[in-house]
Amino acid sequence: MRNNLKLSLLSAILLWIAWPPIPYTGPILLIAFVPLLLCIENILLSSIKKKGRKVFLLAGLTGLLWNTASIYWVYNAISAVMPSYIAIFISLIPFALAALLIAIVFRLYYQLRKRYSTIASLIGLVCFWMAYEYIHQSWDLAFPWMTLGNGFASTHQLIQWYEYTGVYGGTVWIWLCNIALFLIICKQIIYKDRSVRRQHVFAFVALLVIPSGISLFQYFSYEENENPSNIVVVQPNIDPYAKWSMPVTQQVENLIQLSRSTAQTNTEFFIWPESAIPERPPGVNEEEIRSNNSYLQIRDFLKDYKNGNVLSGIESMVIYDSLESPSARKFIDVEKYYDVFNAAVLIDNSSRVQFYHKSKLVPGVEQLPFASLSFLKPLFAAFGGSTGSYGKQEEPSVFYAQSGIGAAPVICYESIWGDYVSKYVREGAQFIAIVTNDGWWGNTSGKSQHLDYAKLRAIETRRWVVRSANTGISAFINQRGDIVRQSEWWKPAALKTDINLNDSITFYTNTGDYLAYAGCFGAIIYCVLLIGTLLKPKTHIA
């Protein structure tokens, strides 16, 4: 049992070392699960009792340690606004929830190994894993931060083919390599079979080399079509916990001065960060924005830039005569309702104003996933919102400049969803504008991971990503996923670059997460098989 624990811990350590933002370690993911698979094989062949429970616990331990070591910064954000003992409890939700789902995946794999061949069971393991990742990006407690394919974000030169597969292609590649090496080691060490053929080793090497080689060829041969647009991203560097008590006009003026410091007469977009216009709750009334002081400041600023547009984060509200959405709240003194939005706005030199309402809301902070979790309301309020959920729109919408340029307004957490960002591109977005406020996490690896993940969106869609972060890191990312320019952490900055707009549509943009759907379908088939054989005698493990 002690050796099995060591193998479980080894997998957790390898997965953590391989994870962003540690540079150049992504390929370790291709072998990181081998110790855990060997651990489970040892348990299957042992004479110990309650094998299924031991598989569940050791796989869960691997997942818990890996997740906690990689996203420890969640605690930093929560402990800044709540007592430590409460912050630890709430942090366990993202730390332990994925670990629980991982433990279930391996417990199902154990059930398959008792009834089916090794190869059939390992295929089932991959299907169950992909179903777990898809579920964990789709339900009320969605947190796809640790999707396996994200692990190559700091080694993006090796996964240029994400334009065909998205991050789930990375998940499949990782599992195929781990399984191939596991079968070789398992046959020699556990089953003492020295007849491993050269073609088995060759197959493993091919799984490592061929996808990497294809990607490197794509990377060095990729050329962008010339279609320049001058963009400025602004990083005001305002303490996210203090900005709600600062005068809004002062903050907007600061953004304007930073924008002017680097702008050209032909600058077409000024990108300001999430909640850059932080009207106190319940936010700017969208119907009355043209009389808002911040709007008037921005319109006056844009007079010097004929084709200029300000794309900014904003706290906004919409008033209803009746209860029109599940998130709407009632005014205390009148028979009207309102929704509060973490939103983006596009303001240009015309009278038109475009709004986008963030769709992918952070569980617990921006929306209450279950009505019974009322104890999370103080946390929500501490992050600048109201004691309830933000409103949202179900599908993304593209901002169009007067010149016809389409921009994808992606707000913070939404940039983790490849399929969702692709929808903007299908709707006509020619570049991706990520507005975020990564100062919540402090100077931790969270801000760097978030930046690295943006590179994946650039590759999947072959669009430039322009990223404006309140306190860092702001950046320009080209269509290959290279960071062309970036700001320093916790320093005000304004960056300017000519990006290339793109109208072409990648295979992944057209098809979305088709590999995840295939994995879910396979998982359903395997579940049906397990249910059908549940009462049958167990066969010998092969």
Side-chain angles (χ1 to χ4, degrees), residues 110-329:
Y110 164 76
Q111 291 299 128
L112 289 176
R113 286 287 283 113
K114 292 195 300 181
R115 292 168 172 81
Y116 300 102
S117 69
T118 303
I119 297 298
S121 301
L122 288 167
I123 294 172
L125 171 61
V126 176
C127 290
F128 287 136
W129 185 278
M130 295 185 72
Y132 137 64
E133 289 190 340
Y134 185 73
I135 289 170
H136 207 31
Q137 76 168 33
S138 305
W139 64 338
D140 273 2
L141 291 172
F143 191 74
W145 200 276
M146 300 300 291
T147 298
L148 270 180
N150 291 341
F152 288 106
S154 59
T155 323
H156 67 281
Q157 296 85 353
L158 298 182
I159 43 86
Q160 294 292 306
W161 36 265
Y162 274 19
E163 68 171 295
Y164 299 100
T165 69
V167 295
Y168 285 101
T171 296
V172 172
W173 186 33
I174 289 166
W175 272 115
L176 288 178
C177 290
N178 275 277
I179 287 170
L181 182 59
F182 161 71
L183 290 174
I184 292 171
I185 295 175
C186 187
K187 193 170 185 179
Q188 284 200 316
I189 296 179
I190 295 182
Y191 292 103
K192 309 299 182 184
D193 185 347
R194 306 298 180 183
S195 63
V196 175
R197 299 178 181 178
R198 288 182 180 177
Q199 53 262 46
H200 296 155
V201 176
F202 177 78
F204 170 66
V205 174
L207 282 171
L208 293 176
V209 173
I210 292 176
S212 301
I214 291 172
S215 180
L216 290 172
F217 175 78
Q218 288 180 284
Y219 179 78
F220 288 110
S221 63
Y222 185 83
E223 294 183 5
E224 297 184 8
N225 293 324
E226 292 291 330
N227 187 9
S229 179
N230 187 261
I231 311 289
V232 169
V233 298
V234 179
Q235 179 174 302
N237 198 54
I238 299 172
D239 188 328
Y241 298 102
K243 69 181 301 179
W244 304 99
S245 60
M246 294 175 60
V248 178
T249 54
Q250 177 185 330
Q251 295 185 52
V252 173
E253 184 60 30
N254 179 46
L255 289 159
I256 289 173
Q257 293 306 319
L258 284 168
S259 299
R260 278 204 177 105
S261 69
T262 191
Q264 300 174 180
T265 55
N266 67 333
T267 297
E268 295 187 271
F269 281 88
F270 299 90
I271 313 298
W272 295 356
E274 180 183 15
S275 302
I277 306 175
E279 296 286 346
R280 294 183 65 82
V284 177
N285 186 338
E286 294 184 9
E287 293 295 324
E288 300 176 356
I289 190 171
R290 291 170 184 83
S291 61
N292 180 270
N293 287 333
S294 298
Y295 171 82
L296 296 173
Q297 284 178 275
I298 293 169
R299 283 294 303 274
D300 187 60
F301 158 67
L302 287 174
K303 289 177 182 177
D304 296 330
Y305 307 95
K306 181 180 178 181
N307 295 318
N309 303 265
V310 169
L311 192 162
S312 175
I314 188 172
E315 293 285 314
S316 70
M317 65 177 293
V318 172
I319 297 175
Y320 313 119
D321 290 327
S322 59
L323 187 61
E324 294 190 15
S325 74
S327 56
R329 282 158 268 184

Side-chain angles (χ1 to χ4, degrees), residues 10 17 19 61 172 174 189 233 265 310 335 355 360 473 528:
L10 178 58
I17 293 173
W19 208 253
L61 177 63
V172 172
I174 289 166
I189 296 179
V233 298
T265 55
V310 169
E335 285 298 320
F355 284 96
K360 301 295 184 181
I473 304 169
V528 171

